[in-house]
Amino acid sequence: MIIVDSTKVMQLYSMLKIYWWGYMIKVFLVEDEYAIREGIKRSIHWERDGFELVGEAGDGEVALPKIIKSKPDILITDIRMPFMDGLELSRLVKSEMPDIKIIVLSGYDDFNYAKQAISIGVEEYILKPVSEETLMEELKKVADIINKERQESEAREKYVHDMEEIRILEQQKFLHDMIDGKLSIQESMVQGKKLGIEVTAECYSILLMQIFSGNSGESDIESYSGIKEDIYSRIKDNCNDIPNVFLYDQVGDVLCFLVKADSHEELKDMIRRGIDSIKTLMKDHTDMLYFMAVGKIVERIRDVNISYEDASRKFAERYMLEESAIFDGTAEKSEHLTKEAFSAGKRSADKIDLNSIDAGKISQKTILHFLKNGTIAEVENFTEEYFSSIGYEVMESMMLRQYVLVEALLSAAAFMKTVGVEGKELEDILGDTKDPAGYASSVDSAREYIRKLLNTILEYRNKLSDQKYIEIIEKAKEYIQNNYQNEDMSLQSVALEVNVSSNHFSAIFRKETGETFIDYLTEVRMEKARTLLVCTAMKTSEIGFQVGYRDPHYFSYIFKKTQGMSPKEYRKAKTET
């Protein structure tokens, strides 16, 4: 004979109930008649049925502060009570806790009471005397509503989290367009508000930052670097905690910060503390080079692009340096004569001081570094900084100009060789830039040659990159198709699989496919789910598990969100046609 311990069975039942609901449903009881209140307390098996009685009171006035403090899920209250009746209590509680569910007990079969209770948002209206079975039935009914709302809320939160890539892309596009001067003040304010970005302030500045591997200046923009990914991630996390700093990732793994404040002093202090924070972080990565450039402070939203152009001009100098540097506009260049100074005739070009020429600035390494890591948008600023670093005075020498142009051509040829292009093919790509002699007649024509050469090579490099991107995206799609069942699949994990930084992968995936990574992954999963719903008798929860959703409620939420109907409705609609 098997003896069953009823207490343990009830405890087990309670545990299963809690497991299903995810938590105990908290209940607060307000009843002015002591005998009735005690009867309700003793008649209900609270914990066994997944409930927890968190408090009680004899009238609404005493109950209110206790309810606000204990935050119950359900309030059971009588209507007729001294000092503060149940309807007034319900109004006050609802105003403080809109999600609370209220069950009203009344000894009066009065339509006006019921009508008022409904207008307040009372969930159930029960006439006294109420039996244990009736009250428990109503409690369970309300608990099911709470449970469903909780599941939907958790599903929405998870959905928002999963859609984070889309939100970030929208914010980055907004910041890019605003900084680029493409948006009016009104558009900036309206779009910014929708995306949670408050753009109004007294003054603004742009800060640019990039990290390079410190070995040989080789390009690591496209390839995955766990160290860089971690550094950028930590910087972004820090920025999320600063309300007046916004950032977006530019092409080439450049971080662009928009900093705003209510005074110049406050803005300068924020930038200084930000730079100090990044410098402290980079102390642990001595094998990496980092560069930062601060744009001039402006006082209008429409002038933010001026600050950006100022920072970009300073930032172009990073390709000529072999040590980390910060360009904040405070250091004056004294070793070179500026373009403007030379134009004013402050020095003569007839005599060249060979000691003033830094041969390292004219080395192939500088141009190579730019060709590997630079962008077409940076060509103009880089060319000006390159000539400035050599010195406009010495560039007036025909002999030196010829030397600079030949070195640039050799650098371009060396770069093209690394991508498998040389000989006749290289000559065809270079066109008239294969012969720099005709461009050495003046400083202006020499500058034009450098610009034209760099644009030609970068356009070809980008064309090769586009072909490579297609291969990367196809590989990523294949990986997704074969592993969509993995609940932990993410933008980061797929980017790692195809050996590309997550930021770069997100950008090229959207460019090549016209949709975000998360949109593509979701559609793959939904396509598989639709097939299983129509072609198998599997339960909805089993199908969700099969397509990468361990939480059946979340699967149902996503399915309805994307397909316009629940999985059950979809199956019914397809099987009936």
Side-chain angles (χ1 to χ4, degrees), residues 339-469:
K339 176 184 177 183
E340 292 73 16
F342 179 80
S343 299
K346 291 192 175 182
R347 294 224 185 158
S348 169
D350 294 336
K351 295 180 181 180
I352 298 175
D353 181 4
L354 294 177
N355 292 323
S356 69
I357 301 174
D358 185 352
K361 300 291 187 183
I362 316 174
S363 72
Q364 293 182 25
K365 191 174 183 179
T366 300
I367 298 290
L368 271 171
H369 191 196
F370 181 76
L371 290 175
K372 291 173 180 176
N373 297 283
T375 65
I376 290 177
E378 294 180 300
V379 167
E380 184 68 31
N381 284 330
F382 171 78
T383 302
E384 293 302 322
E385 286 298 323
Y386 184 53
F387 273 61
S388 177
S389 69
I390 296 171
Y392 283 99
E393 174 196 12
V394 295
M395 282 300 291
E396 279 297 308
S397 164
M398 169 75 79
M399 179 182 67
L400 187 65
R401 286 199 301 274
Q402 290 174 335
Y403 175 68
V404 168
L405 299 189
V406 169
E407 281 294 296
L409 178 61
L410 292 174
S411 300
F415 173 77
M416 294 297 276
K417 189 174 182 179
T418 64
V419 296
V421 177
E422 52 188 323
K424 181 66 168 60
E425 184 182 4
L426 176 59
E427 290 184 8
D428 292 341
I429 293 170
L430 290 173
D432 64 354
T433 59
K434 65 177 180 288
D435 182 11
Y439 291 87
S441 58
S442 69
V443 175
D444 286 340
S445 61
R447 261 200 313 272
E448 176 59 27
Y449 174 81
I450 296 294
R451 284 194 291 262
K452 192 171 183 179
L453 178 68
L454 295 178
N455 275 308
T456 299
I457 301 301
L458 290 183
E459 285 174 1
Y460 186 82
R461 185 200 72 183
N462 292 348
K463 182 180 177 182
L464 291 180
S465 294
D466 287 342
Q467 294 173 354
K468 179 183 176 184
Y469 295 160

Side-chain angles (χ1 to χ4, degrees), residues 102-116:
I102 300 175
I103 298 175
V104 168
L105 306 178
S106 175
Y108 301 87
D109 188 4
D110 189 316
F111 177 73
N112 287 327
Y113 279 122
K115 188 166 66 174
Q116 289 184 62

